[in-house]
Amino acid sequence: QVQLVESGGGLVQAGGSLRLSCAASGNIFSINSMCWYRQAPGKRRELVAILTSGASTYYADSVKGRFTISRDNAKNAVYLQMNSLKPEDTAVYYCNAVKDVSVYWGQGTQVTVSS
């Protein structure tokens, strides 16, 4: 089992920045990838960014150049640095871990961007 806890969400004005954190605990050995997803009201959950165990990254087109996913192995944490935020970035952001054939989710953290 892997437990994930997100933090760092909040209310920010358009153009501002936030850094989301995801603390992982439990059986975190050999996690294949860590991801950030988001879900806006009335919309499907969408993939935002991926960080693989080999340190490869992927970003959705909508956040490319503005968001950065990174990790701190010593702290068992993954981060999402979000810059130049837009109102359309408003959503609940979820941390996700893939380990073998299992997928784990955090509880989510709300990000609200005001215009």
Side-chain angles (χ1 to χ4, degrees):
Q1 288 288 330
V2 175
Q3 293 79 44
L4 303 172
V5 179
E6 302 98 333
S7 61
L11 174 64
V12 63
Q13 288 189 331
S17 298
L18 282 175
R19 189 177 82 152
L20 305 183
S21 299
C22 174
S25 61
N27 189 7
I28 62 174
F29 182 74
S30 295
I31 286 178
N32 303 103
S33 64
M34 297 287 294
C35 308
W36 286 96
Y37 282 76
R38 67 185 181 186
Q39 188 167 19
K43 295 188 176 181
R44 299 179 66 176
R45 192 171 296 190
E46 64 174 351
L47 178 64
V48 175
I50 301 173
L51 177 61
T52 70
S53 58
S56 296
T57 57
Y58 161 85
Y59 296 95
D61 287 342
S62 58
V63 306
K64 202 171 293 183
R66 301 188 297 122
F67 291 11
T68 303
I69 188 170
S70 62
R71 67 187 178 197
D72 184 333
N73 291 330
K75 296 183 178 179
N76 295 328
V78 173
Y79 306 100
L80 187 67
Q81 177 67 43
M82 306 186 295
N83 299 327
S84 302
L85 282 162
K86 304 175 182 180
E88 50 264 42
D89 294 318
T90 295
V92 177
Y93 283 72
Y94 296 91
C95 181
N96 163 290
V98 177
K99 179 181 168 65
D100 299 327
V101 296
S102 298
V103 179
Y104 301 92
W105 293 93
Q107 82 288 350
T109 185
Q110 176 71 47
V111 171
T112 303
V113 184
S114 63
S115 57

